[in-house]
Amino acid sequence: MAVDTTTAAPSHPEGGDGGGEAVRPLLSGAPAEEEEEELDIRYAPYARRDAYGPMGRGPLSSAQVARLVLAGVVLLPLRLIAGMLLVVAYYLVCRVCTLFAGGVGEGRPRLQGLKREAVLRAGRVLSRAMLFVFGFYWIPVSDRSFPNAEDVPKDHSEELERPGAIVSNHVSYVDILYHMSASSPSFVAKNSVSKLPLIGLISKCLGCIFVQRESRCSDSKGVSGAVTERLHEVSQDENSSMMLLFPEGTTTNGDYLLPFKTGAFLARAPLQPVILRYPYRRFSPAWDSMDGARHVFLLLCQFANYMEVVRLPVYYPSEQEKQDPTVYASNVRKLLATEGNLVLSNLGLAEKRVYHAALNGLLCQS
């Protein structure tokens, strides 16, 4: 584990959700001639270092342009069609399984028995198929154990509480596809997602929590409250799917770990830590400083993409961590950084937006 000493201090204590005025190293008012290299150093967790350069707009050689054009004509359409067919296939599975099922209008169909199993199995299989379509042909997964793992008696370990959520570093939208292929978890989504064609019903069948993030109504439980309630439910009901949580709140270039928000840790439930890495040769699948359409285009135009997964043992919080979610979040964050060889950074979403704005300004001037 390393600590990034070049980044600025966070606007709130590590792991917190923030409660006062944010004091952040914004670049508003910074001179327009500030060099791109200085920006990359200051905002290192979001800097792209692949062949396509900042925001995917870097200069390309003639060979790279020719390769990209060929892939755009041949590979891209095939992958788009195959991906759409997989989404439609999963939608049809969900549609059939929710026929005559209650709770669809409420946002969470009450699926039991074979119907629930069909939705979960289809989700895992089709998500893995989608990853294959995207060029992730082989995904090595390693399980790591700690030196004191054998000190836990087997008869006692069976009585331990079930983990309520998967906690992972966040690098790309591809993260969700992997976790769906591995464990079919539920996750937090904007309320508008539930109304999307095809995706809306799929997300409901997965048991997603839909939140109105901008709502300030008194009857709104908020994201943290909804997550805590669901984690308690998962720990008590083995038929409930684990949640997938990204405590960083945004994506990085995969080499850094941002401060964790405490929402995933308020329930005091055990967690399943998972580390994702994306080795690359030309294009990095990390969704750090690039618009979505350009990123999807370049990802699908790359014949082979790579992902590595490290699954750590279930993390059971100590009494101190149960009493203090900030300590719990900090300790899990340090564990992920150590085991994943990630650099701890104090930057957050606000700095990411500033970095994007500064890059756009530089690119427009060039």
Side-chain angles (χ1 to χ4, degrees):
M1 176 185 70
V3 178
D4 182 10
T5 58
T6 64
T7 54
S11 61
H12 49 77
E14 180 180 308
D17 291 321
E21 287 294 323
V23 181
R24 294 183 178 272
L26 304 184
L27 277 184
S28 53
E33 64 272 10
E34 182 159 11
E35 295 294 333
E36 182 183 304
E37 291 78 6
E38 296 178 2
L39 284 173
D40 287 348
I41 293 174
R42 183 177 299 184
Y43 300 97
Y46 314 118
R48 292 193 72 84
R49 300 179 178 88
D50 62 8
Y52 293 92
M55 306 189 81
R57 303 177 189 175
L60 300 177
S61 66
S62 300
Q64 289 175 320
V65 172
R67 185 187 299 114
L68 200 57
V69 170
L70 181 61
V73 173
V74 179
L75 195 58
L76 179 64
L78 293 176
R79 284 181 164 173
L80 287 175
I81 293 172
M84 193 62 195
L85 289 176
L86 289 172
V87 172
V88 171
Y90 194 25
Y91 169 81
L92 292 177
V93 171
C94 293
R95 173 57 66 190
V96 170
C97 291
T98 53
L99 290 175
F100 312 111
V104 179
E106 302 169 6
R108 192 179 180 189
R110 292 187 285 273
L111 300 177
Q112 301 292 334
L114 293 178
K115 288 185 176 180
R116 180 176 181 276
E117 188 65 22
V119 168
L120 295 181
R121 284 183 179 272
R124 288 193 288 266
V125 171
L126 294 175
S127 296
R128 185 61 188 92
M130 183 73 81
L131 286 169
F132 189 90
V133 167
F134 282 7
F136 294 91
Y137 306 119
W138 175 253
I139 302 176
V141 179
S142 63
D143 286 300
R144 293 186 182 175
S145 58
F146 297 106
N148 62 348
E150 63 270 19
D151 296 337
V152 180
K154 292 184 178 179
D155 57 344
H156 176 67
S157 62
E158 292 176 356
E159 300 174 0
L160 293 176
E161 188 179 355
R162 179 189 180 212
I166 299 165
V167 172
S168 175
N169 62 318
H170 200 10
V171 185
S172 174
Y173 48 82
V174 181
D175 301 350
I176 298 175
L177 280 177
Y178 167 73
H179 288 296
M180 284 184 62
S181 72
S183 52
S184 297
S186 59
F187 46 89
V188 178
K190 291 183 179 179
N191 192 51
S192 57
V193 173
S194 66
K195 301 177 177 62
L196 293 175
L198 305 179
I199 301 298
L201 180 61
I202 292 174
S203 59
K204 290 178 182 179
C205 287
L206 289 173
C208 292
I209 295 177
F210 300 106
V211 295
Q212 194 70 35
R213 298 180 188 272
E214 61 273 10
S215 174
R216 299 295 181 184
C217 298
S218 58
D219 61 345
S220 175
K221 292 182 293 186
V223 178
S224 296
V227 168
T228 300
E229 182 179 297
R230 178 64 62 84
L231 292 183
H232 284 308
E233 176 186 323
V234 173
S235 64
Q236 298 170 7
D237 182 5
E238 62 180 12
N239 290 321
S240 293
S241 299
M242 283 196 300
M243 290 207 66
L244 169 61
L245 299 172
F246 299 111
E248 294 170 282
T250 188
T251 55
T252 68
N253 58 18
D255 295 327
Y256 290 79
L257 201 61
L258 308 180
F260 279 6
K261 298 182 182 298
T262 58
F265 306 89
L266 294 174
R268 308 173 183 177
L271 300 170
Q272 171 66 70
V274 176
I275 302 167
L276 302 180
R277 308 269 334 220
Y278 292 85
Y280 63 90
R281 295 178 181 174
R282 288 191 301 273
F283 174 74
S284 169
W287 191 24
D288 38 34
S289 59
M290 189 183 303
D291 66 83
R294 186 184 300 270
H295 191 279
V296 171
F297 172 79
L298 293 174
L299 179 74
L300 298 185
C301 285
Q302 183 159 264
F303 179 75
N305 291 296
Y306 304 93
M307 177 193 299
E308 296 174 352
V309 180
V310 178
R311 294 177 61 85
L312 302 178
V314 175
Y315 192 103
Y316 294 93
S318 65
E319 286 303 319
Q320 180 189 11
E321 291 169 331
K322 289 181 178 180
Q323 296 303 318
D324 191 341
T326 302
V327 173
Y328 190 5
S330 177
N331 289 344
V332 173
R333 179 176 179 241
K334 291 175 182 176
L335 172 66
L336 288 174
T338 300
E339 296 297 318
N341 195 28
L342 303 174
V343 180
L344 294 177
S345 172
N346 289 326
L347 299 190
L349 181 58
E351 287 84 8
K352 184 177 185 179
R353 289 170 175 164
V354 170
Y355 176 61
H356 288 185
L359 277 182
N360 273 318
L362 286 177
L363 292 172
C364 288
Q365 294 173 14
S366 58

